[in-house]
Amino acid sequence: MKLKKKLFISVCFIIMCLSVGCSSTKDTKSIKDPTIEKSEEVAEIKENIKEVNMVKYEGVIEHLFVHPLIVYPELAYDGDYESNTLSKWFVTTKEFKNALGELYRNNYILVAYKDIYEEKTIDDKTLTVRKDLMLPEGKKPIIISVDDLNANKYMLGNGITEKLVFDKDGEIAGYVKNPEGKYIVSKDTEIVPVLETFIKEHPDFSHNGAKGTLAITGFEGILGYRIQQNSINRESELKECKKIVEKLKNDGWEFASHSYGHPNLEKISLERLVNDTTKWHNEVESVVGDTKIYITPYGSWPTKESGGLKYLKDRGFSIFAGVGPISYEKIYKDQNLVMTDRRNLDGGTLLNKRDKFLDLYDANLVIDYKGRKISK
Ligand SMILES: [Zn+2]
């Protein structure tokens, strides 16, 4: 609606210019018939108005996920033990920015879980259903989620942001060690500040203030803060972390559970899942707040025999997301359950699955060839 208002103001301004004559048009000698010029401009304005018609969207909601960004590829792709993992499953800051530009050009618009689903009581049953999603005509909705924004130990020293912090303006920035070994605070680093900057420059990329969803574990703390039970700095870390979480939530970021210890749900017993989920509730949910969203580690699902899915539902999760080649969604109408899959923006898909992602972006325009030290 904000867009409409903005457009209305600019329409009024143009109409004012047309009726009273702006100094620039007044001074310019035009060989065109002014009435033709006027009708052409009015037609253009009408065309613009048509573009921001809000229409109900009922189709597929795309969902793309990424891991924390590689700010300094020279530190990530240095041939050490983690190089291959980081090359296959991660993207650089430059690649993420390129992908955002492509998504925007291809008419995608960010949407938030809170604007997609709601719980309703139907025949005495609580069910999760799709909300009426009103979007500017022609726009296609997309969720962006971030897995493991935890600054896990294997990421440290690999040119990845080690902590989300406040910069001097009170905005969220990344705290990262550069190739010279110095720590810097910069917005040109991690997904949170990069997406915030992109939306500031392209406000129509975000519907109703939507940002991304942060899927986090807890075994090494969250967002770079070592708030886990066995951390020696737990109290002071918790204090700082809560301020960042509050800012993120105020800015429109949503949180999801990515389990506590990142187990493969298909392979663990119900007992281990209970233990893992209890830890997540105690150490993470107590900080980030209640969430219905569970993003499964490795995209794997509990087996039917283990009863793991039922257990997670009983613990309050109703929207589940795995990994798959398409943005799949199934809403179970007889129970409070939504099963979805997300597509992965990472080195593996950029380098090997270009054709599967052309509806979102052209990988050839996204790949950071220089950072990855590969040729076009
Ligand atoms: Zn993960």
Side-chain angles (χ1 to χ4, degrees):
M1 296 308 278
K2 263 182 200 162
L3 248 175
K4 266 192 171 171
K5 198 174 170 190
K6 214 165 135 191
L7 193 74
F8 177 73
I9 294 165
S10 48
V11 167
C12 288
F13 176 73
I14 296 167
I15 289 171
M16 244 166 63
C17 284
L18 287 172
S19 25
V20 299
C22 287
S23 57
S24 58
T25 47
K26 212 183 199 175
D27 296 341
T28 312
K29 284 195 176 80
S30 171
I31 52 160
K32 248 184 165 181
D33 179 344
T35 52
I36 294 173
E37 208 170 348
K38 200 169 168 177
S39 60
E40 278 174 2
E41 285 193 49
V42 169
E44 200 185 316
I45 292 161
K46 280 185 180 165
E47 183 60 27
N48 286 342
I49 290 171
K50 210 179 114 201
E51 269 177 30
V52 290
N53 270 348
M54 303 299 273
V55 292
K56 187 174 167 185
Y57 184 88
E58 291 178 291
V60 174
I61 292 168
E62 284 298 335
H63 192 155
L64 192 67
F65 81 94
V66 275
H67 283 106
L69 302 179
I70 291 167
V71 188
Y72 299 109
E74 60 270 51
L75 295 178
Y77 309 136
D78 56 357
D80 70 4
Y81 181 70
E82 293 92 6
S83 283
N84 274 346
T85 304
L86 298 175
S87 172
K88 193 174 175 195
W89 299 109
F90 287 57
V91 293
T92 68
T93 303
K94 188 165 188 266
E95 286 169 336
F96 182 67
K97 289 202 271 191
N98 289 345
L100 286 181
E102 285 292 292
L103 291 171
Y104 181 68
R105 263 189 294 281
N106 288 328
N107 279 324
Y108 285 95
I109 185 167
L110 263 186
V111 287
Y113 272 107
K114 67 173 172 53
D115 291 326
I116 301 171
Y117 301 110
E118 65 182 335
E119 279 190 348
K120 269 193 174 166
T121 307
I122 301 167
D123 297 334
D124 291 334
K125 270 186 174 176
T126 303
L127 298 175
T128 298
V129 296
R130 279 273 284 265
K131 274 169 118 169
D132 285 351
L133 181 62
M134 302 298 290
L135 295 180
E137 195 172 15
K139 290 283 184 187
K140 297 170 277 186
I142 187 164
I143 300 170
I144 292 180
S145 56
V146 189
D147 286 14
D148 306 289
L149 196 59
N150 296 86
N152 294 120
K153 281 180 190 145
Y154 74 91
M155 301 175 194
L156 305 183
N158 281 310
I160 294 171
T161 298
E162 295 192 15
K163 212 174 224 188
L164 292 183
V165 295
F166 290 109
D167 69 1
K168 56 179 175 25
D169 304 315
E171 296 298 327
I172 289 182
Y175 177 73
V176 60
K177 199 195 246 180
N178 69 17
E180 289 75 47
K182 275 193 180 162
Y183 277 97
I184 60 150
V185 173
S186 165
K187 280 190 188 166
D188 201 18
T189 49
E190 192 46 271
I191 292 140
V192 171
V194 167
L195 192 58
E196 290 282 358
T197 304
F198 189 86
I199 291 168
K200 269 193 190 112
E201 288 163 1
H202 310 88
D204 56 336
F205 184 58
S206 167
H207 170 67
N208 201 18
K211 301 288 167 58
T213 296
L214 308 178
I216 49 176
T217 57
F219 68 105
E220 287 176 334
I222 67 167
L223 313 170
Y225 293 86
R226 306 304 174 199
I227 63 164
Q228 67 273 29
Q229 273 305 334
N230 58 6
S231 164
I232 43 167
N233 302 322
R234 188 164 192 269
E235 286 312 308
S236 56
E237 289 284 281
L238 203 51
K239 203 174 151 197
E240 290 309 305
C241 181
K242 281 180 177 170
K243 292 179 199 163
I244 293 288
V245 168
E246 190 188 353
K247 169 77 175 153
L248 287 168
K249 291 175 91 169
N250 285 342
D251 288 350
W253 292 85
E254 296 180 292
F255 284 92
S257 173
H258 192 43
S259 81
Y260 182 83
H262 211 278
N264 185 333
L265 301 190
E266 198 185 341
K267 294 180 178 163
I268 61 167
S269 65
L270 183 61
E271 191 188 356
R272 202 172 143 205
L273 181 63
V274 169
N275 186 27
D276 183 273
T277 311
T278 304
K279 280 184 179 167
W280 197 87
H281 277 288
N282 291 343
E283 292 181 32
V284 185
E285 194 183 44
S286 58
V287 179
V288 303
D290 178 44
T291 179
K292 307 272 177 207
I293 313 157
Y294 195 102
I295 291 181
T296 63
Y298 310 106
S300 76
W301 300 94
T303 60
K304 216 173 178 182
E305 296 73 50
S306 78
L309 190 63
K310 186 186 177 302
Y311 167 73
L312 289 172
K313 277 178 63 204
D314 291 345
R315 290 296 301 253
F317 297 105
S318 49
I319 303 164
F320 292 85
V323 181
I326 57 162
S327 297
Y328 162 91
E329 178 205 58
K330 184 168 168 66
I331 299 175
Y332 288 79
K333 296 218 162 84
D334 56 341
Q335 46 182 321
N336 194 15
L337 177 64
V338 180
M339 300 283 268
T340 68
D341 269 343
R342 314 166 297 155
R343 299 159 80 183
N344 40 333
L345 166 57
D346 55 33
T349 58
L350 282 180
L351 297 168
N352 305 313
K353 293 190 176 166
R354 174 176 172 256
D355 56 324
K356 299 267 189 288
F357 286 77
L358 285 172
D359 55 326
L360 300 177
Y361 47 74
D362 180 347
N364 289 347
L365 303 173
V366 174
I367 296 170
D368 177 359
Y369 292 95
K370 200 175 155 216
R372 287 184 181 269
K373 290 186 211 143
I374 50 172
S375 51
K376 282 191 188 185

